[in-house]
Amino acid sequence: MKKFENPIYVTRPIIPNIDLFQKKLVEIWDSKIFSNQGKQHQLLEKELLEVLKVSYMSLFNNGTIALITAIKSLRISGDCITTAFSFPATPHALTWCGVKPIFCDITDDFVIDSSKIESLITPKTTGILGVHVFGIPCNVDQIQKIADFYGLKVIYDGAHSFQTEIDGKGIGNFGDITMFSFHPTKLFHTSEGGALTYSNSNFKKRIDLLKNFGIKNEEEVVMTGINGKLSEIQSAIGLVVLQQLEEERKKRELVLSTYKKYLKEIPGIWFYSFSDNIKNSLQYFVIKIDEKIFGKSRNYVYDKLKEFNIFTRKYFYPLCSDYTCYRHLESSKNLIKAKKIVNEVLCLPFYGDLSLKEVEVICSIIEKLRK
Ligand SMILES: Cc1ncc(COP(=O)(O)O)c(C=O)c1O
């Protein structure tokens, strides 16, 4: 099989239509306002409330600052139970707030194993930080029950879960606060950006103060806030990207069904199938490779695909618990399932402009690697 002429990467951002974006730029230039909740920011917030089916939202300059602000706003302290199968931002946000991450093992579906949370709770525990990894929802009902019983706060890192829904309900309605990332690797993006969503109207004031240095008015600074503001130009990118979202989702649906058609025939390759009541965020397409059945390891497949100019990602290898800053933690030692799964996962190229022919070729290369 021939190598692809041009590299195929794991994702490709929606490129905002340049004419629509230019119109937006003219509006911004005319307004002479570039930040501090201008018109574009207000428009984007309004549209996103509908798209995400949530009641309240605060926009941010990236998902990480949003997550840090969520932790601060809920006054999480001491220990917080989370997952090691995530992007560094998840445990780092806790650490930046002076909170110790306590790593809980995961399920076969990559999310925090809610049946193992209770055994990790101590008098120091004040919160649970779950990740809807690859847009797969955590067991939100079970987590809420535990949180209610022990009086814990719940935050979800929903960086991958834009438009994920459970029984038609937006994922951003669960827990106390959900964070979304609008980085260009994400299906919806603002070049850099993020948001917090929540159902409690009382949160809005505190979160919006925290993201603006704690400035209440010209004479009063009432808390130790940070600069988390999304600019007008970033908001304008988001407004244009929103118009292209449905088309991208349709194309990704086709790419997804094509992958499934070919990969389901290959022994040792597993992929997640969303149940009917869950809306897929179409953020990533992840497979697990069972070395015993497939005959080759995940690392072998990853390396070989590179030779064909196909750049996959081993998300989320290494586990956060294996970073030098977290390795010493007691909770880093008992992650049996996460340690196994992290050596099996591979995110395959997944974006709307990936042609179905390219998907077919990628799958047949994977199939040939078995032999
Ligand atoms: C699970 C997860 N959490 C948090 C983040 C951080 O988001 P941002 O890049 O917008 O700061 C990312 C990646 O972008 C992520 O994948």
Side-chain angles (χ1 to χ4, degrees):
M1 281 213 131
K2 262 185 34 212
K3 174 180 172 175
F4 280 100
E5 203 176 316
N6 297 315
I8 298 193
Y9 296 111
V10 75
T11 192
R12 199 187 273 179
I14 293 182
I15 306 299
N17 178 293
I18 194 85
D19 296 326
L20 294 177
F21 184 54
Q22 255 166 6
K23 276 192 195 141
K24 286 274 167 209
L25 287 183
V26 173
E27 277 183 39
I28 295 169
W29 262 236
D30 286 347
S31 75
K32 301 182 179 57
I33 290 172
F34 284 86
S35 191
N36 291 33
Q37 325 234 29
K39 185 180 158 209
Q40 308 303 326
H41 184 288
Q42 288 169 32
L43 281 174
L44 182 65
E45 194 172 290
K46 195 162 163 258
E47 287 202 25
L48 285 176
L49 285 173
E50 263 180 51
V51 174
L52 294 176
K53 299 188 177 176
V54 291
S55 309
Y56 302 98
M57 164 179 303
S58 301
L59 294 174
F60 278 84
N61 49 7
N62 62 62
T64 308
I65 293 289
L67 195 53
I68 288 172
T69 308
I71 296 161
K72 283 267 181 205
S73 72
L74 294 172
R75 298 180 176 87
I76 289 177
S77 61
D79 293 355
C80 181
I81 298 170
T82 189
T83 169
F85 189 74
S86 188
F87 190 71
T90 312
H92 285 359
L94 291 168
T95 308
W96 272 62
C97 294
V99 178
K100 184 162 133 192
I102 304 292
F103 296 116
C104 180
D105 209 357
I106 58 172
T107 65
D108 285 321
D109 299 339
F110 313 115
V111 293
I112 191 166
D113 187 344
S114 55
S115 72
K116 300 218 164 84
I117 290 176
E118 265 187 287
S119 64
L120 296 170
I121 295 174
T122 70
K124 285 189 187 161
T125 314
T126 60
I128 301 169
L129 170 53
V131 182
H132 303 306
V133 70
F134 309 133
I136 299 167
C138 296
N139 188 340
V140 288
D141 292 338
Q142 187 62 23
I143 290 173
Q144 198 57 57
K145 267 188 206 148
I146 297 168
D148 289 345
F149 187 79
Y150 290 95
L152 307 177
K153 303 288 184 203
V154 179
I155 299 179
Y156 287 112
D157 175 336
H160 308 164
S161 62
F162 191 85
Q163 284 188 305
T164 296
E165 291 175 15
I166 305 177
D167 292 318
K169 192 169 169 185
I171 195 77
N173 292 292
F174 297 95
D176 292 290
I177 301 181
T178 300
M179 177 278 272
F180 293 89
S181 162
F182 303 152
H183 184 264
T185 47
K186 308 299 183 288
L187 174 60
F188 168 75
H189 74 92
T190 54
S191 73
E192 283 275 2
L196 294 179
T197 65
Y198 34 91
S199 312
N200 187 335
S201 60
N202 296 328
F203 288 1
K204 176 98 181 139
K205 211 165 141 197
R206 181 167 161 79
I207 289 174
D208 284 352
L209 273 173
L210 278 171
K211 80 167 194 188
N212 188 28
F213 313 98
I215 297 175
K216 189 176 171 196
N217 55 44
E218 283 180 33
E219 318 243 321
E220 287 172 286
V221 176
V222 292
M223 52 187 85
T224 49
I226 199 161
N227 183 356
K229 291 181 271 91
L230 189 76
S231 77
E232 285 294 276
I233 293 182
Q234 289 169 318
S235 303
I237 290 180
L239 285 163
V240 178
V241 168
L242 264 188
Q243 296 185 47
Q244 296 166 229
L245 194 66
E246 265 319 296
E247 192 192 338
E248 174 71 12
R249 281 190 62 92
K250 279 192 194 126
K251 288 189 193 165
R252 287 191 185 200
E253 289 276 12
L254 273 179
V255 171
L256 176 66
S257 56
T258 309
Y259 264 130
K260 285 180 167 178
K261 181 171 92 185
Y262 293 114
L263 293 180
K264 73 174 184 319
E265 308 297 337
I266 309 179
I269 301 285
W270 175 96
F271 50 81
Y272 183 81
S273 290
F274 284 83
S275 54
D276 289 344
N277 68 327
I278 309 291
K279 180 169 168 182
N280 185 349
S281 65
L282 299 168
Q283 175 59 56
Y284 288 111
F285 180 67
V286 61
I287 60 170
K288 273 196 281 191
I289 300 172
D290 184 332
E291 189 176 345
K292 279 201 196 108
I293 303 172
F294 186 74
K296 298 280 171 26
S297 70
R298 185 276 312 274
N299 286 351
Y300 178 87
V301 175
Y302 168 84
D303 289 337
K304 279 285 164 193
L305 287 175
K306 261 193 194 170
E307 292 175 15
F308 288 92
N309 235 349
I310 305 164
F311 296 90
T312 59
R313 295 302 292 265
K314 304 179 197 175
Y315 289 145
F316 281 99
Y317 176 88
L319 290 177
C320 301
S321 50
D322 284 335
Y323 305 165
T324 46
C325 48
Y326 301 125
R327 206 178 273 169
H328 64 283
L329 296 176
E330 194 53 37
S331 64
S332 295
K333 294 181 186 136
N334 300 317
L335 308 171
I336 295 160
K337 200 155 261 176
K339 283 186 176 148
K340 177 173 177 287
I341 288 176
V342 83
N343 289 308
E344 299 175 339
V345 276
L346 197 62
C347 282
L348 300 184
F350 189 59
Y351 48 88
D353 282 340
L354 188 65
S355 78
L356 302 187
K357 184 69 205 163
E358 285 167 332
V359 176
E360 188 187 337
V361 173
I362 293 169
C363 294
S364 63
I365 292 171
I366 293 176
E367 189 177 14
K368 289 207 171 64
L369 292 179
R370 286 188 73 210
K371 294 165 190 158

